[in-house]
Every structure is written in C-alpha cells, then in structure tokens.
Amino acid sequence: MPLIEVRGLTKAYGGRTVVDGVSFTVEEGEILGILGPNGAGKTTTVECVIGLRAPDSGTVRVAGLDPVTDHERLTRVLGAQLQQSELQAKLTVREALELYAAFYPHPADWRPLAERLGLTDKLDSRFGKLSGGQKQRLFIALSLIGGPEIVVLDELTTGLDPRARRDTWQLIEEVRDSGITVLLVTHFMEEAQRLCDRIAVIDGGRVVALDTPAGLISRAANSTVMSFTPSAPLDERALAALPALTSVEERDGRYTLHGTDETVDAAITLLARHRVTAHQLRVADATLDDAFLDLTGVSA
C-alpha cells in the first residue's frame, strides 16, 4: 500500500480550477518529486496532502489517513517544511527545537538531530541571524523532530547559493536513507534529477507525466544532440535523410544534429564513408530541462 495516495484531486479558487484531477502515489522509502511551472498547482496539491486545504473532490490518503478529518493523527506520522516558512526573529535555534519537541508525545531527541544537521554550534543563535542555508537546516530539523514516516519539502532550496543547495541535497539523501519517505516540490531540474526516484510533472493543474528521471528524459523529442565542424563540405540531403533525425542546424560551418543514438551512429558512418573528419565533435544526451520543456512548453 502506498504511503501517499492521491486520486482525482480537484481544487478551485474563486471559480478557477488550479488542481484538476491530479493522481499519484508515493511508495514507502522513495523520494517523489513534483515539478511544474509557476502557478501549475504544485503547492496547492501539497497543501491538500498535508491537510492545510480540503479538496473540492477526489481523495487523499497519507499512511491510510484522511489529512483533513484525521489531521491530528496525521501530524504524528508526517512532517512538513512549507514554501514560505518563518519563525520569530528573536527565537533561538535551541528554543525552536524545544518548542517543536513539546508538540509531540514522543518526539525525537533534538540534540543528535541538531548535530546531524550541523546546528550544534548555532543553538544559541537567533533565527533572524541565521544564513539561508542554516535556516533551511533548522526547518528540516523541525520537520523531523516528531519522528515522522513521511516528510514533505516544498521549494526547500529556493534562494540558496550553490554550495548551500548541494549541502541540503545531501541532507535530503540522508533523510531518505534513514527510512523516511519524501515528497519533494522543486523547480530545480538538477535537484530533481539527483534526488528523485520518480517525478510527477504538473502543468495547468494536471499530471502530464509521471516517470523516473531517466524515463522522462527518454521522452524528450531530441534525446541526443551531436555537434561538429566538418573538414570538408557535406551533402545536406544525406544529412537530412539520417534516421530518427528531428532537426539539423548549420551556423558558421558548424552542424548541430538533434535526434537519437541511432542518428549519431548513422552520422558517424556517413562522415567516415565520405572521409570527412568531425572537428570539435560533441555528443550529449538530453537533459531533464529538455524533457520538461517538451512536456510543458516552458523552460524551468
């Protein structure tokens, strides 16, 4: 049985439907990512999962619980870090951890949790004095302090510098490795590709794709890109006839072919047959960015 099961979720505001029949599951021990353009319905979907909003229709179950009617029981198995999270500026890290621990009948010991998240030397620091990365570490600690089976992280690394972002990625991997199931909302393609076992792409309030990162990339219209500068003129009609070729571009004597591995193999054979050398040859796979653009029509 999936730990999170969403079926036909619909939510509207002021007559405008922002979540339109969304369905997905999250299996125990996995990281499921939710990707989508701004305004796609990602955060509303997550708010329905954690019980902050009631669906207009459809069903949501988290560890077998209804997030709205069983909300008190849900808080014992689910932790969450929301997109807009703040604490009182003068609250110290120690006070925040002690306060949140007091909310649960059997909280995790916050001291080893703080050490694990690199917060031990910041326990007496006020929230308003913490860096962005330190605040995110604190919010992760607060989402875990109840000893949850599931943690929901919404836009966790927005606003962080590259080093802090990568440190946070490592923390999320450690959370998953400890046996906690993660639902991760993000708009960073690299983040989703590195962390997620599966990704649900939401566009216009609907799930337009649900697959592994590799599976989504394989759907990209141009799964392989080859570029080179030929040592001699080429027969462009022969290039245009390459198998699985979706487009060919020439600029200042350099060619870029979009297609598949089959296209690349055939192009290399064609060059060899005509004894043409491919200078500055580059072959690259499609990225999650490419797949996202194909699925949503917008760049990440």
Side-chain angles (χ1 to χ4, degrees), residues 111-259:
R111 293 167 185 82
L113 189 59
E115 182 176 359
R116 174 185 171 194
L117 293 169
L119 293 170
T120 301
D121 63 347
K122 295 294 181 181
L123 290 177
D124 295 319
S125 298
R126 299 187 187 278
F127 179 79
K129 298 296 184 181
L130 299 179
S131 69
Q134 291 162 351
K135 289 179 179 180
Q136 296 297 53
R137 287 172 181 267
L138 176 57
F139 287 129
I140 292 175
L142 297 179
S143 70
L144 297 174
I145 207 163
E149 299 175 36
I150 306 156
V151 64
V152 176
L153 306 173
D154 189 359
E155 302 286 7
L156 183 65
T157 59
T158 297
L160 299 188
D161 61 55
R163 171 58 66 86
R165 185 176 300 131
R166 280 167 173 76
D167 289 345
T168 303
W169 292 349
Q170 183 175 351
L171 292 174
I172 296 172
E173 289 172 331
E174 291 173 2
V175 167
R176 189 265 307 281
D177 292 344
S178 71
I180 297 174
T181 300
V182 179
L183 178 60
L184 174 69
V185 179
T186 181
H187 66 266
F188 289 112
M189 297 298 110
E190 185 182 359
E191 179 170 293
Q193 190 164 349
R194 169 171 168 170
L195 296 177
C196 299
D197 298 295
R198 293 184 301 137
I199 297 170
V201 179
I202 296 181
D203 188 27
R206 298 182 178 183
V207 175
V208 296
L210 177 57
D211 206 337
T212 64
L216 292 176
I217 291 170
S218 70
R219 301 186 191 189
N222 305 312
S223 59
T224 308
V225 179
M226 175 184 182
S227 61
F228 62 93
T229 301
S231 61
L234 291 176
D235 182 350
E236 295 194 2
R237 289 180 299 178
L239 280 180
L242 291 173
L245 181 74
T246 57
S247 68
V248 57
E249 303 167 9
E250 186 273 330
R251 178 177 296 179
D252 298 328
R254 184 167 182 81
Y255 288 82
T256 301
L257 312 180
H258 298 264

Side-chain angles (χ1 to χ4, degrees), residues 87-105:
L87 296 174
Q88 206 278 334
K90 294 185 177 181
L91 197 68
T92 68
V93 171
R94 185 192 309 274
E95 290 168 342
L97 291 167
E98 290 177 342
L99 175 64
Y100 272 65
F103 295 156
Y104 299 95

Side-chain angles (χ1 to χ4, degrees), residues 26-40:
V26 185
E27 303 298 327
E28 183 176 0
E30 81 168 332
I31 299 178
L32 180 82
I34 296 182
L35 280 176
N38 290 336

